[in-house]
CSV table of all heavy atoms in Angstrom, one decimal:
chain,number,residue,atom,x,y,z
A,1,LEU,N,78.4,125.5,58.1
A,1,LEU,CA,77.4,126.5,57.7
A,1,LEU,C,76.0,125.9,57.8
A,1,LEU,O,75.0,126.4,57.2
A,1,LEU,CB,77.6,127.0,56.3
A,1,LEU,CG,79.0,127.7,56.0
A,1,LEU,CD1,79.0,128.2,54.6
A,1,LEU,CD2,79.1,128.8,57.0
A,2,VAL,N,75.8,124.9,58.5
A,2,VAL,CA,74.5,124.2,58.8
A,2,VAL,C,74.2,124.1,60.4
A,2,VAL,O,73.2,124.4,60.8
A,2,VAL,CB,74.5,122.8,58.2
A,2,VAL,CG1,73.1,122.1,58.5
A,2,VAL,CG2,74.5,123.0,56.7
A,3,THR,N,75.2,123.6,61.1
A,3,THR,CA,75.1,123.4,62.5
A,3,THR,C,75.0,124.7,63.2
A,3,THR,O,75.8,125.6,63.1
A,3,THR,CB,76.2,122.6,63.1
A,3,THR,OG1,76.4,121.4,62.3
A,3,THR,CG2,76.0,122.3,64.6
A,4,VAL,N,74.0,124.9,64.0
A,4,VAL,CA,73.8,126.2,64.8
A,4,VAL,C,74.5,126.1,66.1
A,4,VAL,O,74.3,125.2,66.9
A,4,VAL,CB,72.3,126.4,65.1
A,4,VAL,CG1,72.1,127.7,65.9
A,4,VAL,CG2,71.5,126.6,63.7
A,5,ILE,N,75.5,127.0,66.3
A,5,ILE,CA,76.2,127.1,67.5
A,5,ILE,C,75.4,127.9,68.5
A,5,ILE,O,75.2,127.4,69.7
A,5,ILE,CB,77.6,127.7,67.3
A,5,ILE,CG1,78.4,126.8,66.3
A,5,ILE,CG2,78.3,127.9,68.6
A,5,ILE,CD1,79.8,127.5,66.0
A,6,THR,N,75.0,129.1,68.2
A,6,THR,CA,74.2,129.9,69.1
A,6,THR,C,73.1,130.6,68.2
A,6,THR,O,73.3,130.8,67.0
A,6,THR,CB,74.9,131.1,69.7
A,6,THR,OG1,75.6,131.9,68.7
A,6,THR,CG2,76.1,130.5,70.6
A,7,ASP,N,72.0,130.8,68.8
A,7,ASP,CA,70.9,131.6,68.2
A,7,ASP,C,70.3,132.6,69.1
A,7,ASP,O,69.6,132.2,70.1
A,7,ASP,CB,69.7,130.6,67.7
A,7,ASP,CG,68.6,131.3,67.0
A,7,ASP,OD1,68.7,132.5,66.8
A,7,ASP,OD2,67.7,130.6,66.4
A,8,HIS,N,70.7,133.9,68.9
A,8,HIS,CA,70.3,134.9,69.9
A,8,HIS,C,69.2,135.7,69.2
A,8,HIS,O,69.0,136.9,69.7
A,8,HIS,CB,71.5,135.7,70.2
A,8,HIS,CG,72.5,135.0,71.0
A,8,HIS,ND1,73.9,135.4,71.0
A,8,HIS,CD2,72.4,134.0,71.8
A,8,HIS,CE1,74.6,134.5,71.8
A,8,HIS,NE2,73.6,133.7,72.3
A,9,THR,N,68.5,135.2,68.2
A,9,THR,CA,67.3,135.9,67.7
A,9,THR,C,66.4,136.1,68.8
A,9,THR,O,66.0,135.1,69.5
A,9,THR,CB,66.7,135.1,66.5
A,9,THR,OG1,67.7,134.8,65.5
A,9,THR,CG2,65.5,135.9,65.9
A,10,CYS,N,65.8,137.3,69.0
A,10,CYS,CA,64.9,137.6,70.1
A,10,CYS,C,63.7,136.6,70.1
A,10,CYS,O,63.4,136.0,71.3
A,10,CYS,CB,64.4,138.9,70.1
A,10,CYS,SG,65.7,140.2,70.1
A,11,THR,N,63.1,136.4,69.0
A,11,THR,CA,61.9,135.5,69.0
A,11,THR,C,62.3,134.0,69.1
A,11,THR,O,61.4,133.2,69.1
A,11,THR,CB,61.1,135.8,67.7
A,11,THR,OG1,61.9,135.8,66.6
A,11,THR,CG2,60.4,137.2,67.9
A,12,ALA,N,63.6,133.7,69.0
A,12,ALA,CA,63.9,132.2,69.1
A,12,ALA,C,63.6,131.8,70.6
A,12,ALA,O,63.3,130.6,70.7
A,12,ALA,CB,65.4,132.1,68.8
A,13,CYS,N,63.6,132.6,71.5
A,13,CYS,CA,63.3,132.3,72.9
A,13,CYS,C,62.0,132.9,73.3
A,13,CYS,O,61.2,132.3,74.1
A,13,CYS,CB,64.4,132.7,73.9
A,13,CYS,SG,66.0,131.9,73.6
A,14,HIS,N,61.7,134.1,72.8
A,14,HIS,CA,60.5,134.9,73.3
A,14,HIS,C,59.3,134.7,72.4
A,14,HIS,O,58.9,135.5,71.7
A,14,HIS,CB,60.8,136.3,73.4
A,14,HIS,CG,61.8,136.6,74.5
A,14,HIS,ND1,61.5,136.7,75.8
A,14,HIS,CD2,63.1,136.9,74.4
A,14,HIS,CE1,62.6,136.9,76.6
A,14,HIS,NE2,63.6,137.1,75.7
A,15,SER,N,58.9,133.3,72.3
A,15,SER,CA,57.7,132.9,71.5
A,15,SER,C,57.1,131.7,72.2
A,15,SER,O,57.7,131.1,73.0
A,15,SER,CB,58.2,132.7,70.0
A,15,SER,OG,58.9,131.5,70.0
A,16,ARG,N,55.9,131.4,71.8
A,16,ARG,CA,55.1,130.3,72.3
A,16,ARG,C,55.3,129.1,71.5
A,16,ARG,O,54.7,128.0,71.9
A,16,ARG,CB,53.7,130.7,72.4
A,16,ARG,CG,53.4,132.0,73.3
A,16,ARG,CD,51.9,132.1,73.4
A,16,ARG,NE,51.6,133.4,74.1
A,16,ARG,CZ,50.6,133.7,74.8
A,16,ARG,NH1,49.7,132.7,75.0
A,16,ARG,NH2,50.4,134.8,75.4
A,17,VAL,N,56.2,129.1,70.5
A,17,VAL,CA,56.4,127.8,69.7
A,17,VAL,C,57.9,127.6,69.6
A,17,VAL,O,58.7,128.5,69.4
A,17,VAL,CB,55.8,128.0,68.3
A,17,VAL,CG1,56.2,126.9,67.5
A,17,VAL,CG2,54.3,128.2,68.3
A,18,ASP,N,58.3,126.5,69.9
A,18,ASP,CA,59.8,126.1,70.0
A,18,ASP,C,60.0,125.5,68.6
A,18,ASP,O,59.8,124.3,68.3
A,18,ASP,CB,60.0,125.0,71.1
A,18,ASP,CG,61.6,124.8,71.2
A,18,ASP,OD1,62.3,125.2,70.4
A,18,ASP,OD2,61.9,124.1,72.2
A,19,VAL,N,60.6,126.3,67.6
A,19,VAL,CA,60.8,125.9,66.3
A,19,VAL,C,61.8,124.8,66.2
A,19,VAL,O,61.8,123.9,65.4
A,19,VAL,CB,61.3,127.1,65.4
A,19,VAL,CG1,61.6,126.7,64.0
A,19,VAL,CG2,60.2,128.2,65.4
A,20,ALA,N,62.8,124.8,67.2
A,20,ALA,CA,63.9,123.8,67.2
A,20,ALA,C,63.4,122.5,67.7
A,20,ALA,O,64.2,121.5,67.7
A,20,ALA,CB,65.1,124.4,68.0
A,21,ASN,N,62.2,122.4,68.2
A,21,ASN,CA,61.7,121.2,68.8
A,21,ASN,C,60.3,120.9,68.2
A,21,ASN,O,59.3,120.7,68.9
A,21,ASN,CB,61.6,121.4,70.4
A,21,ASN,CG,61.2,120.0,71.0
A,21,ASN,OD1,61.4,118.9,70.5
A,21,ASN,ND2,60.6,120.1,72.2
A,22,ALA,N,60.3,120.8,66.9
A,22,ALA,CA,59.1,120.4,66.1
A,22,ALA,C,57.9,121.3,66.5
A,22,ALA,O,56.8,120.8,66.5
A,22,ALA,CB,58.8,118.9,66.5
A,23,ASN,N,58.2,122.6,66.6
A,23,ASN,CA,57.1,123.6,66.9
A,23,ASN,C,56.3,123.2,68.1
A,23,ASN,O,55.1,123.5,68.1
A,23,ASN,CB,56.3,123.7,65.6
A,23,ASN,CG,57.0,124.3,64.5
A,23,ASN,OD1,57.8,125.2,64.6
A,23,ASN,ND2,56.6,124.0,63.3
A,24,ALA,N,56.9,122.6,69.2
A,24,ALA,CA,56.2,122.3,70.3
A,24,ALA,C,55.8,123.6,71.1
A,24,ALA,O,56.6,124.6,71.1
A,24,ALA,CB,57.0,121.4,71.2
A,25,ALA,N,54.7,123.6,71.8
A,25,ALA,CA,54.2,124.7,72.6
A,25,ALA,C,55.2,124.8,73.8
A,25,ALA,O,55.7,123.8,74.3
A,25,ALA,CB,52.8,124.5,73.1
A,26,ARG,N,55.5,126.0,74.1
A,26,ARG,CA,56.4,126.2,75.3
A,26,ARG,C,56.0,127.7,75.8
A,26,ARG,O,55.5,128.5,75.1
A,26,ARG,CB,57.8,126.1,74.9
A,26,ARG,CG,58.3,127.0,73.7
A,26,ARG,CD,59.1,128.2,74.1
A,26,ARG,NE,59.5,129.1,73.0
A,26,ARG,CZ,60.6,129.0,72.3
A,26,ARG,NH1,61.6,128.1,72.7
A,26,ARG,NH2,60.9,129.9,71.4
A,27,VAL,N,56.4,127.9,77.1
A,27,VAL,CA,56.4,129.2,77.7
A,27,VAL,C,57.5,130.1,77.2
A,27,VAL,O,58.6,129.7,77.3
A,27,VAL,CB,56.4,129.1,79.2
A,27,VAL,CG1,56.4,130.5,79.9
A,27,VAL,CG2,55.2,128.3,79.8
A,28,PRO,N,57.2,131.2,76.6
A,28,PRO,CA,58.2,132.2,76.2
A,28,PRO,C,59.2,132.5,77.3
A,28,PRO,O,58.7,132.6,78.5
A,28,PRO,CB,57.5,133.4,75.7
A,28,PRO,CG,56.1,132.9,75.4
A,28,PRO,CD,55.9,131.9,76.5
A,29,ALA,N,60.4,132.7,77.0
A,29,ALA,CA,61.3,133.1,78.1
A,29,ALA,C,60.8,134.4,78.8
A,29,ALA,O,60.3,135.4,78.2
A,29,ALA,CB,62.7,133.5,77.5
A,30,ALA,N,60.8,134.4,80.2
A,30,ALA,CA,60.2,135.4,81.0
A,30,ALA,C,58.8,135.7,80.7
A,30,ALA,O,58.3,136.8,81.1
A,30,ALA,CB,61.0,136.7,80.9
A,31,SER,N,58.0,134.7,80.2
A,31,SER,CA,56.7,134.9,79.7
A,31,SER,C,56.5,136.2,78.9
A,31,SER,O,55.5,136.8,78.9
A,31,SER,CB,55.8,135.0,81.0
A,31,SER,OG,55.6,133.8,81.7
């Protein structure tokens, strides 16, 4: 109940901040 297998939350990929990587800046999926 801790380890994430999949995360299909829309904003998990479609955002400019990568929460899973120390909030690093990134290009949102498909911009």
Side-chain angles (χ1 to χ4, degrees):
L1 300 181
V2 175
T3 306
V4 175
I5 299 176
T6 61
D7 187 353
H8 294 154
T9 305
C10 300
T11 50
C13 295
H14 294 283
S15 66
R16 302 187 186 206
V17 175
D18 189 350
V19 176
N21 187 23
N23 292 329
R26 55 105 185 264
V27 174
S31 290

